Amino acid sequence: MKMKTGRFLLCLGIGAVSLLNATLVLAQTPREDEAKKNEPVMEVVIVTGSSVKSHPVTPLLSRFGTQYNVVSAQAIENQNSLDFLSALREVPGVIFKSQNAVGSQAGTDLYIRGRGASHPSPDITVEFDGVPRSGVLYGQTMADGIAVGTIAGIEIYQNPQPIRFGSGYSLVNVEPKRMISEGQIANIGFSGGVYSTFSENISAGHKKGALDIYVAQDWTSSRGSRAHSRGQQESYYVNLGYALNQHWNVRLLGNYVEAQTLAPGPNEKPSADNGISWPQAERFDTAATFSTLTLNNRYRQAEGYLKAYWNDTDFDMLQELNNGERHPDGGRWSRQHLKLHGVRAKETLWLWQGGEIILGADLDQTRLTNTQRVYGTGAQRFWGFPDTTLFSPYLGMSQYFGKNDAFHLIPSVGMRYYNHNEFSDKTAAQAGLIGGYGNTDLNFNYSRGVNYPSPVVLQGLLGPGGPENPGQYWKDLTAEVVDHVELGITHRWETLGSVTATVFHDRGKNRFRAYFGGPIPTSFNDPIGRYTIRGLELTTSLRPHEGWNVFAGATWLDVKAKGSDGIERSEMPYTPSFTFKAGAQWEITESDKLYVDMQHIRGLYQGTSARSGGFNYPPQDARNKLDNITLFNLRLSRRIQQPGWRFEDMEAFLAINNLFNRPYEYVKGYPLPGITAMIGIDIKIK
């Protein structure tokens, strides 16, 4: 029998209190500093005001034998990223789809090692401050709801990790900006460029004693490189903290974002032969209110948090055209109203030398509606989806043996239990092993990913004319799973840098179907469909000379997918056979810096793997094959310091994207801009 929401909250509250009581007891026993000295330093903490030294290309290694990537605020600045998706462009294995110079159309637009191209697409979990911030109903990334000016760093897990996150196969988590060091700061930034593209940001922070506060306002706008391709976003943000004592602090975060992205028409008339299609909607509006309240604790032998969150988002789609012509009924407007809220608790314990225990639980609830209105007739259709509740406690353990500068070994295990009020329960496990000597580490990781259906799978059963008891059709629907295996080796030089090689294998099964209309399927899980993704990734980040930093990452993917028709295909949408990302940073003088990067994508097909109907993968032929993409970008900056001015620091910059003016597109018929340029200035005030 499934637990009710009240019992969920009671269990979570009892667990949290127990963890906090354990923390207080542990705090009375000082942790041995010598034990900490021998443990490997393998994880990077993302903080505002400091640059994470690792490059987005270079994966980091956790104690659980898995790799993940980090994009720092400095890396985002180097890339001159104007929106959330562009901030991820240098991460190997990650690509995104865009039809606009700025902004997102909130469909399937983010892809991680073959994940994210299905509809609905809950494969990729997007979090902000460690809690959900995505579309949920259709699984959209909802990139327009996250402003670049609020980002201190981004963690990307490209494979399942039950100890790190719950439902989904990949995780993109944004660490929010906040004040870290004592003092006061203020920043003002302006930039402008071609296609009437402008960006403005103002932020200020104060930290003294127990209180710290950071506020930020951001605005970005572009008319776009083609007709009807405008995008804009404005954001208001505050992150407030108060230290109750040396061990406890409380934080309140709030963010309001409004955005609008227009969809351009295709550059030639769509047909069955050219792979071009009309846009499904012409305008996408986002209005999101997001907040977290966190109680943190930190002792020598324990640290953790109890976090409550609220995410209220309206996502509107406007369709006035039908196949390029004025809609006969005047057009349609659709609004998804998403309410996500819940509580999350986590505690990390170090009870003995070299040992680590992670205890936690996530309680996530959704309330979702979808309203569609026809302008000409005034007809309205409303879908009220069932409220969903997912309770997922987890436990992980790892043990460090040896010394950093000699032989060392770290075995680990973890497990998460999923209790869902609408769908069947699941359990996912992971196990890892790190073995190494000195600066060389070999890591192995096995993990199972659990991907719960998004509520839209019920849509066709809920509207007028649907069955009297829709629950009878999805009561046996279960989450799909993927088994992930990863093996990697990393070598680090003290001053030169590092190099990493990784092989991985994913095997997925039991993919769920979505029902939007027509005959009701006898099974909502595909009994035939299977897919495998195998890959090799090579990355390096080197400092060959003082003032120089070069980086490169290459990813090869080999896929096999079989649909319910029994046909096996060797390609899937937005799963390129090869990607290469590289670049360099040159500190020309103490004041001048040049940053260049490039991306090459080969073997790329467009399309969406629909989870409805016959549930077959779309044909990946010449109609859907995209041309290879090769882009070069640069940013040249000069730091200006003038004695006597109140400016602590000032930087002027020139950023050029698509330096060699190469034609490219992520969707056929929707070319993206050629060479573009922006100039700007960032000012830090004492």
Side-chain angles (χ1 to χ4, degrees), residues 553-619:
T555 306
W556 290 264
L557 294 177
D558 177 70
V559 301
K560 300 291 183 186
K562 180 184 293 186
S564 58
D565 56 3
I567 299 175
E568 185 174 86
R569 306 184 187 278
S570 57
E571 293 91 12
M572 291 197 300
Y574 294 102
T575 308
S577 59
F578 176 70
T579 59
F580 181 70
K581 305 186 178 185
Q585 178 175 299
W586 178 26
E587 296 178 3
I588 305 170
T589 68
E590 290 186 359
S591 302
D592 300 310
K593 182 173 68 176
L594 175 65
Y595 185 90
V596 296
D597 67 81
M598 66 85 66
Q599 300 84 42
H600 174 72
I601 305 175
R602 191 168 67 218
L604 184 64
Y605 291 82
Q606 67 174 8
T608 301
S609 297
R611 294 180 181 269
S612 59
F615 193 65
N616 301 321
Y617 292 94

Side-chain angles (χ1 to χ4, degrees), residues 156-440:
I156 302 98
Y157 284 80
Q158 301 197 42
N159 50 271
Q161 287 300 299
I163 295 303
R164 182 60 185 84
F165 63 98
S167 179
Y169 296 144
S170 306
L171 170 69
V172 178
N173 176 53
V174 175
E175 293 287 340
K177 284 186 176 180
R178 63 184 178 93
M179 285 295 291
I180 299 296
S181 304
E182 289 269 342
Q184 302 177 32
I185 63 169
N187 296 290
I188 302 174
F190 299 96
S191 64
V194 299
Y195 305 122
S196 301
T197 302
F198 297 97
S199 177
E200 166 268 324
N201 61 85
I202 301 174
S203 61
H206 173 84
K207 179 176 173 61
K208 185 176 182 180
L211 179 68
D212 69 86
I213 184 171
Y214 183 88
V215 297
Q217 175 270 325
D218 295 84
W219 175 75
T220 302
S221 178
S222 175
R223 69 172 171 83
S225 59
R226 305 174 60 219
H228 206 265
S229 63
R230 177 171 57 86
Q232 63 181 22
Q233 180 195 66
E234 58 181 311
S235 167
Y236 304 90
Y237 172 86
V238 60
N239 196 338
L240 175 68
Y242 186 79
L244 304 174
N245 54 46
Q246 63 176 332
H247 298 298
W248 293 86
N249 71 78
V250 62
R251 302 204 66 82
L252 175 64
L253 182 153
N255 186 206
Y256 177 75
V257 181
E258 282 191 0
Q260 184 180 93
T261 302
L262 304 184
N267 61 356
E268 61 179 282
K269 187 175 181 179
S271 72
D273 298 324
N274 60 19
I276 298 175
S277 60
W278 295 105
Q280 293 183 337
E282 290 82 50
R283 197 181 85 194
F284 302 82
D285 296 349
T286 303
T289 302
F290 177 86
S291 182
T292 61
L293 178 63
T294 310
L295 179 65
N296 298 291
N297 68 84
R298 186 171 187 177
Y299 292 87
R300 283 184 178 271
Q301 290 184 288
E303 68 177 26
Y305 60 82
L306 181 65
K307 184 188 300 284
Y309 71 92
W310 178 267
N311 185 355
D312 192 318
T313 299
D314 286 329
F315 176 61
D316 298 348
M317 295 180 289
L318 178 66
Q319 182 182 14
E320 295 181 338
L321 303 178
N322 181 29
N323 292 332
E325 303 293 335
R326 181 62 58 182
H327 209 288
D329 58 18
R332 300 178 181 186
W333 166 86
S334 177
R335 165 168 290 183
Q336 299 172 28
H337 188 193
L338 317 173
K339 289 186 178 181
L340 317 179
H341 52 91
V343 181
R344 295 192 167 192
K346 180 181 179 180
E347 199 75 17
T348 303
L349 309 173
W350 304 279
L351 304 182
W352 60 86
Q353 182 172 334
E356 180 179 273
I357 300 175
I358 296 178
L359 296 166
D362 299 341
L363 175 63
D364 301 310
Q365 296 183 308
T366 66
R367 294 183 178 180
L368 310 171
T369 61
N370 192 3
T371 304
Q372 185 182 86
R373 183 178 297 124
V374 179
Y375 287 127
T377 65
Q380 182 169 299
R381 188 176 184 184
F382 176 83
W383 291 270
F385 294 89
D387 295 348
T388 66
T389 301
L390 177 61
F391 178 66
S392 56
Y394 56 91
L395 169 66
M397 299 179 64
S398 64
Q399 176 66 48
Y400 175 76
F401 301 98
K403 296 183 178 181
N404 277 336
D405 57 357
F407 176 76
H408 49 265
L409 191 70
I410 313 175
S412 61
V413 294
M415 181 166 292
R416 182 182 290 255
Y417 172 72
Y418 302 82
N419 181 273
H420 201 289
N421 70 321
E422 287 290 331
F423 307 117
S424 59
D425 298 348
K426 287 288 184 180
T427 302
Q430 69 178 81
L433 180 65
I434 300 173
Y437 187 90
N439 292 331
T440 302

